[in-house]
């Protein structure tokens, strides 16, 4: 709905007290009619002086004086852009989010084409967990002004937060940098996404640019530390860390970075000492969450398991204070139920299938599995083969489900809309799905020269096996399973946002795991798939046997480089980046036994699935 119609359709802004604090209704005070001030009012030197004084008071931290000045201004000119914008800032400073929202909606309705208003509204939406709505506002802004660097930067950040493709985030962040190359902030943002893409040397190049512009730029210094730590180059990482510590010795992010380096060097007491220097109570929730996750990892490494679990509990409680990170039980249960209802053998026998358009068409290998089940290691093994490129975590299957209704010109949501594929005019529509997926793949330039096979390792893609089996019936699917309690432990101990943020609570993690595994069991009964299930425990016990099994399954000749996967020069982009560049180890097998007591509450939830998979819960 158009923002002005949406605003006008709501009566809430009319009857509620005005956010300016006057005690009057919003309609009779700052709201007024949807009429912009006249040019004469905007140019009035008296009004301009009042606005200038209010801004100066705000900058000086004299909030009450700023409040009085802006109220006086808005009483004389209710729709004044500068006055309303300043009032938004005051409401945000005081933590009155509902009032700030009302004011921003009023501004958006009054000034629908104003770039500053559009950007401020998008920023507010992003800050309050409405990433998709914020992205829509930013795209509207960029349609009007493709050279708005802050909009490119923010949309790039939102794509990253919403688990979109890194390459699309890179495009927008690169645009921001090109538009304002002398701004260190944009250089650092671009470097961060390049680091996630595994293009570490290129990322360092942009960090050098940022530090040339601002030698004490803390974010650039810490980003450089992170890159060297990811590359196992601890000595140069410490060089940059010491520079950052000299710039801001008491900064929480600097101390978190120092603790991580100590942990990677197995100096666990030093790591705890670094964390103890953080004034935790004064830190924002996000920093507190990072603190607890890092401290939990250190305590776990030290074998102080009771303390570690309590600390991870604190990390997840801190994360759950963010409403955007709450797991929606009903929505997920309903989604899985709809998928089971639709994808049945009886229904599928009447539906068409996608097909290759040419002999050398790109061919996906879908690596599926719950987060922390070992899928990153499998991708490293397969992509070490010269005939297979590593595609990393592609969100394309999810995007196909989001576009399905539009592509089929259907009023039904996914998956019900796919029933219309039986209509003669729509029987070829699956080629649209296939062409979209492969077209996006080509844009991402994932494939090595002369290679047509690639991996798609998006966590929880097993939820999408239904649509994948229709669009790519010839594709090979490798499904990693692992002991359910090891999975739940590892998910709870890492900050993961996959699967509608299930991992921030042990019970929701267990229930989501059961939902997904029950759906996979349903798919295995109802779908015809080229499917291989592989146990993580068997793979780490005998890497060569597991690698040979996978290579034979997908029909490639054996290559011994698959066993030496830790030497794969490809950079993993996941939370497992450190593990998959090491030789295989078995220390994570049955890790849950260190926390068996704390996991007792979720054991009854996952017991049926564990039994079905042949895992003991002792």
């Amino acid at each position: 709905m158009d923002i002005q119609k949406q605003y006008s359709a709501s009566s809430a802004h009319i009857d509620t007290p005005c956010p300016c604090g006057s005690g009057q209704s919003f309609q009779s005070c700052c709201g007024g009619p949807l009429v912009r001030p006249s040019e004469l009012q905007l140019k009035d030197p008296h009004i301009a002086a009042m606005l200038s004084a209010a801004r100066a008071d705000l900058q000086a931290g004299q909030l009450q004086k700023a409040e009085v000045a802006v109220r006086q201004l808005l009483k004389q000119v209710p729709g004044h852009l500068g006055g309303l914008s300043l009032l938004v800032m005051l409401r945000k400073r005081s933590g009155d989010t509902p009032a700030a929202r009302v004011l921003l909606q009023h501004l958006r309705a009054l000034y629908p084409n104003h770039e500053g208003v559009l950007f401020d509204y998008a920023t507010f939406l992003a800050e309050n967990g409405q990433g998709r709505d914020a992205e829509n506002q930013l795209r509207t802004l960029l349609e009007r002004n493709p050279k708005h660097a802050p909009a490119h930067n923010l949309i790039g950040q939102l794509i990253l937060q919403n688990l979109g493709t890194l390459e699309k985030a890179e495009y927008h962040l690169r645009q921001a940098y090109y538009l304002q190359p002398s701004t260190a902030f944009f250089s650092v943002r671009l470097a961060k996404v390049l680091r996630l893409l595994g293009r570490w040397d290129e990322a360092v190049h942009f960090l050098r640019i940022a530090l040339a512009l601002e030698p004490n730029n803390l974010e650039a210094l810490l980003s450089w530390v992170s890159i060297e730590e990811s590359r196992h180059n601890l000595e140069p990482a410490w060089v940059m860390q010491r520079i950052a510590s000299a710039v801001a010795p008491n900064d929480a992010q600097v101390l978190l970075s120092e603790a991580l380096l100590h942990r990677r060097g197995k100096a666990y007491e030093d790591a705890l000492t670094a964390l103890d220097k953080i004034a935790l109570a004064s830190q924002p929730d996000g920093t507190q969450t990072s603190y607890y996750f890092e401290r939990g990892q250190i305590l776990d490494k030290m074998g102080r398991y009771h303390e570690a679990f309590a600390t991870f509990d604190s990390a997840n409680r801190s994360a759950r204070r963010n409403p955007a990170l709450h797991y929606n039980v009903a929505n997920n249960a309903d989604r899985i139920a709809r998928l089971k209802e639709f994808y049945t053998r009886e229904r599928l026998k009447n539906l068409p299938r996608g097909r290759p358009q040419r002999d050398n068409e790109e061919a996906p290998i879908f690596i599926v599995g719950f987060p922390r089940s070992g899928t990153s290691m499998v991708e490293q093994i397969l992509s070490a083969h010269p005939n297979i490129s590593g595609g990393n975590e592609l969100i394309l299957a999810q995007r196909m489900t989001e576009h399905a209704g539009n592509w089929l010109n259907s009023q039904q949501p996914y998956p019900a809309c796919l029933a219309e594929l039986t209509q003669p005019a729509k029987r070829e529509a699956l080629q649209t799905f296939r062409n979209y997926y492969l077209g996006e793949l080509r844009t991402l330039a994932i494939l090595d020269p002369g290679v047509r096979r690639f991996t798609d390792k998006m966590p929880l893609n097993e939820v999408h096996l239904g649509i994948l089996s229709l669009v790519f019936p010839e594709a090979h699917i490798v499904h990693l399973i692992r002991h359910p309690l090891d999975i739940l432990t590892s998910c709870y101990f890492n900050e993961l946002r996959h699967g509608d943020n299930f991992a921030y609570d042990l019970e929701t993690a267990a229930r989501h795991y059961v939902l997904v595994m029950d759906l996979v069991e349903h798919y295995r009964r109802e779908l015809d798939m080229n499917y291989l299930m592989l146990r993580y425990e068997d793979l780490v016990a005998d890497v060569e046997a597991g690698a040979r099994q996978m290579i034979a399954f997908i029909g490639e000749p054996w290559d011994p480089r698959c066993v030496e996967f830790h030497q794969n020069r490809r950079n993993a982009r996941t939370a497992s980046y450190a593990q998959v560049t090491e030789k295989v180890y078995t220390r994570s097998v049955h890790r849950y036994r260190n926390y068996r007591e704390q996991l007792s509450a979720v054991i009854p939830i996952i017991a049926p699935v564990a039994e079905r998979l042949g895992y003991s819960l002792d």
Side-chain angles (χ1 to χ4, degrees), residues 353-390:
R353 302 292 189 273
R355 60 186 183 278
Q357 298 295 293
R358 48 191 174 85
D359 291 340
N360 63 340
E361 185 173 274
E362 300 88 344
I365 301 166
F366 295 107
I367 302 170
V368 303
F370 216 76
R372 312 300 295 168
S373 63
T375 54
S376 293
M377 180 171 63
V378 166
E379 184 172 51
Q380 287 292 95
I381 290 171
L382 294 181
S383 63
H385 195 288
N387 294 343
I388 303 171
S389 294

Side-chain angles (χ1 to χ4, degrees), residues 215-288:
N216 292 336
N217 187 299
L218 206 56
E219 192 174 11
L221 290 167
L222 295 179
S223 295
W224 201 332
V225 172
S226 180
I227 289 171
E228 298 302 345
E229 183 267 331
S230 298
R231 295 200 276 198
H232 295 266
N233 296 335
L234 294 188
E235 187 173 336
W238 272 112
V239 170
M240 303 308 297
Q241 178 66 41
R242 292 185 186 102
I243 297 172
S245 296
V247 171
N250 298 316
D251 182 87
Q253 298 304 319
V254 171
L255 292 167
L256 283 167
S257 176
E258 180 183 334
L260 172 60
L261 290 184
H262 281 309
R263 173 164 64 87
R264 290 298 303 278
K266 300 183 179 180
Y268 302 129
E269 292 292 352
D270 291 337
L272 290 177
T273 299
L275 291 181
D276 288 341
K277 296 177 184 176
I278 297 175
L280 191 61
S282 63
Q283 300 301 322
D285 287 345
T287 301
Q288 291 191 29

